[in-house]
Amino acid sequence: VQLVESGGGLVQAGRSLTLSCVISGALVDDIAIGWFRQAPGKEREGISCISSGDGSTYYEDPVKGRFTISRDHAKNTVYLQMNSLKPEDTAVYYCAADSISLLPDLYDYWGQGTQVTVSS
């Protein structure tokens, strides 16, 4: 399984970004995907995941109500729509497979990461 993230960038607080995670080696409907982020000097934290099969979603409190995880079967891609961005959302964002938890150690496959910087 290979994962490639894109969509990061520099935005002002309050704006939106959508991150993409293109999957190869597995079908998006058959694999659970998690989104993680790591800010400088901090540990990697899980923020959202989507299950295989029925696509159940989960969000951690810091992003609940602002971020939306979704998947596109035709593009074999998982998205993370990020609205109302805050400076504290600044981090490198990673997608990973294949677990429904938000514990990084339970994931076997990782993308290379994409930088998101939110200015105040």
Side-chain angles (χ1 to χ4, degrees), residues 7-115:
L10 172 63
V11 295
Q12 290 183 325
R15 303 298 292 268
S16 299
L17 276 177
T18 299
L19 305 183
S20 300
C21 175
V22 178
I23 303 163
S24 58
L27 296 178
V28 68
D29 292 347
D30 296 338
I31 194 166
I33 296 293
W35 280 100
F36 295 78
R37 65 186 182 185
Q38 188 166 18
K42 295 188 177 181
E43 293 187 353
R44 191 168 298 189
E45 64 170 342
I47 56 175
S48 182
C49 58
I50 185 166
S51 71
S52 60
D54 68 358
S56 297
T57 59
Y58 179 80
Y59 302 91
E60 287 290 353
D61 286 345
V63 306
K64 195 174 294 183
R66 298 188 299 124
F67 290 11
T68 303
I69 190 170
S70 64
R71 64 190 186 189
D72 185 324
H73 174 80
K75 296 183 178 180
N76 218 43
T77 298
V78 172
Y79 300 99
L80 186 68
Q81 171 71 40
M82 307 186 295
N83 297 328
S84 302
L85 283 162
K86 305 175 182 180
E88 51 263 45
D89 293 319
T90 295
V92 178
Y93 284 70
Y94 301 88
C95 62
D98 175 16
S99 173
I100 193 56
S101 83
L102 286 177
L103 298 175
D105 288 349
L106 297 184
Y107 284 76
D108 294 324
Y109 307 99
W110 291 84
Q112 82 287 355
T114 185
Q115 176 71 46

